Amino acid sequence: MDSKFLLLAGGALLSATVASAGGYQVTLAGQKNNGMGGVGVGLSLDQAAMFYNPGALAMVRDRGVQVGVNFTLARNAYVAEGGSQQRELRNSTVTPFNLYAGFGPAEGKFRAGIAVYTPFGSKLQYANGWEGRTSLTDITLESIYVQPTFSYAITDKLSIGAGLMILAYGSVNLQRDIPLPDSFGHIELDGKAENKVGYNAGIFFKPSEKLSVGISHRSKIDAQVKGGDVSFTNVTSSFASRFEATKFDATLPLPATTSLGLGIMPNEKLTIGLDVNFVQWSKYRVLRFDFDKQVNGSTFSESKRYYQDALTFRVGGQYKLTSGLTVRAGGSYDATPVKDGYVTPETPDNDRISGTLGASYSFGKFGLDISGQYISIKKRTQTTQDLLNNGTTDRIAGTYKTNIVIPGLGLNYNF
């Protein structure tokens, strides 16, 4: 067996857990923000400020609890180089969720809270017998972050905040077929990431009732998988001696993200937000796996990634139609960090454009939030010559196209 499949695993877990831009990922940290193109760094909408800008939490007047869930429905199509048959994913649904609880004195200068969110998770199941079956057949990714947060208003216009960004749970399961002389075997990697801690910090400044500015930074985390399970099936006895590994280790860099946001409030009913996210993907150069025993004659594998830093631009707004009803809309442009010749089946990525809609209805201390996103990942083609030129023949040539629809629902309670 070559190292093709094994080299996909780290990139897949990375896509599932890292924040903001690129890879097979979407930002789903707050239901109101979801309806506004994902903006929030320069706003103080609600307790979801713990994710977007902890510095803004102290400016959120209401104390409250909110919970939300999203349903990510992806359609991925692939056409092999020189072919005409379109392969599509088997249907699958992923349900990222978020939970926030914010506390503090009603007239005090500080707020504290706890955030639990799963902004990046994925599940892809390629068609049976597709051309890239020896690269990838199935991938399931899960991650949960827990973030205790504290925010303090230095003045009535300036506040700061920070939180411990804890990777509380992360898992990856990847599968692919193994080409043998007269048949196909199958390999499965299943691993859990160790608990790791980073930080999320921000500053929020509101010089007037019509303008606010925010900046936040989420730190780099090195996610480590130690003792992940390697298993083989349908490998004939004559080849079994070449596939002895049962465990694998890998260290996966989750790059830092810096965000700048602007809030504009022309009147009491209208709020507009603009965000720019910068992700230091260039730290992700090479992916290495170490095995306890040999895998086709080697105890380790390496793959070139050579990602590049990437920007995401977001814009969105909300308008209060009545005392109880607020409507929202927005959009974003997300530049891919994946260069030509480096696309892999688990992240068939390219620049992406999204549009969003949302609404909230409040009744007493309760509120209901709905949101919807449509994300189009531009068609991406890489040729065999691209792979040869970059020394990345551990992946497959062809054309990918992905569309994603994400409805979401949330409930909040203020006290």
Side-chain angles (χ1 to χ4, degrees), residues 268-271 318-327 362:
E268 293 183 354
K269 294 185 177 182
L270 179 62
T271 299
Q318 67 175 20
Y319 187 82
K320 193 170 185 178
L321 287 176
T322 70
S323 60
L325 179 62
T326 300
V327 294
S362 60

Side-chain angles (χ1 to χ4, degrees), residues 46-365:
D46 58 13
Q47 288 75 32
M50 285 182 242
F51 172 82
Y52 294 94
N53 183 355
L57 181 63
M59 297 297 187
V60 177
R61 291 300 89 197
D62 294 324
R63 299 161 295 176
V65 177
Q66 64 182 80
V67 61
V69 63
N70 301 276
F71 304 88
T72 303
L73 313 171
R75 175 170 177 160
N76 178 290
Y78 169 82
V79 177
E81 183 181 33
S84 59
Q85 183 177 5
Q86 179 171 292
R87 301 285 192 174
E88 296 184 357
L89 288 172
R90 287 170 278 159
N91 293 330
S92 62
T93 303
V94 181
T95 56
F97 69 90
N98 57 78
L99 170 65
Y100 300 93
F103 308 94
E107 302 300 327
K109 291 188 174 184
F110 75 88
R111 287 285 186 271
I114 187 76
V116 182
Y117 47 86
T118 59
F120 305 96
S122 181
K123 185 174 183 178
L124 287 80
Q125 296 176 306
Y126 281 91
N128 293 325
W130 83 291
E131 291 83 352
R133 62 190 290 190
T134 58
S135 292
L136 184 69
T137 59
D138 299 78
I139 174 174
T140 301
L141 308 161
E142 296 176 335
S143 64
I144 298 176
Y145 283 85
V146 177
Q147 181 185 307
T149 307
F150 181 84
S151 183
Y152 182 77
I154 299 174
T155 71
D156 59 354
K157 297 181 179 180
L158 178 66
S159 58
I160 59 175
L164 289 178
M165 191 172 63
I166 304 169
L167 175 58
Y169 176 82
S171 69
V172 56
N173 181 281
L174 298 102
Q175 302 178 45
R176 78 142 178 135
D177 288 341
I178 306 168
L180 298 174
D182 56 355
S183 63
F184 284 93
H186 195 74
I187 179 174
E188 179 177 354
L189 267 66
D190 190 84
K192 299 291 190 298
E194 294 190 334
N195 300 137
K196 291 291 181 177
V197 178
Y199 66 88
N200 184 4
I203 302 172
F204 184 77
F205 180 55
K206 190 172 183 179
S208 72
E209 292 301 316
K210 296 183 181 296
L211 182 68
S212 57
V213 181
I215 185 171
S216 68
H217 180 79
R218 290 190 292 272
S219 69
K220 176 177 177 288
I221 292 179
D222 284 329
Q224 291 184 316
V225 176
K226 292 185 177 181
D229 294 322
V230 181
S231 59
F232 303 94
T233 54
N234 299 325
V235 176
T236 58
S237 57
S238 57
F239 291 95
S241 62
R242 297 193 62 80
F243 304 105
E244 298 179 317
T246 59
K247 300 292 181 180
F248 75 92
D249 296 338
T251 299
L252 315 170
L254 310 182
T257 301
T258 301
S259 301
L260 178 66
L262 179 68
I264 303 171
M265 289 69 68
N267 54 58
E268 293 183 354
K269 294 185 177 182
L270 179 62
T271 299
I272 300 170
L274 299 98
D275 283 7
V276 178
N277 312 123
F278 174 73
V279 185
Q280 297 179 25
W281 280 105
S282 59
K283 302 294 184 182
Y284 189 31
R285 305 293 291 171
V286 177
L287 178 65
R288 179 184 171 102
F289 286 80
D290 293 288
F291 308 101
D292 61 336
K293 298 178 183 178
Q294 71 158 329
V295 177
N296 203 25
S298 178
T299 57
F300 73 93
S301 64
E302 286 189 342
S303 175
K304 298 177 183 178
R305 294 294 159 152
Y306 294 171
Y307 277 22
Q308 58 192 358
D309 294 337
L311 290 169
T312 302
F313 301 91
R314 306 181 186 276
V315 61
Q318 67 175 20
Y319 187 82
K320 193 170 185 178
L321 287 176
T322 70
S323 60
L325 179 62
T326 300
V327 294
R328 302 182 176 89
S332 66
Y333 177 80
D334 190 346
T336 181
V338 183
K339 297 188 292 186
D340 290 341
Y342 290 85
V343 179
T344 56
E346 94 283 350
T347 51
D349 195 48
N350 200 2
D351 296 345
R352 57 182 69 186
I353 299 174
S354 72
T356 69
L357 292 173
S360 293
Y361 186 77
S362 60
F363 41 97
K365 294 184 178 182

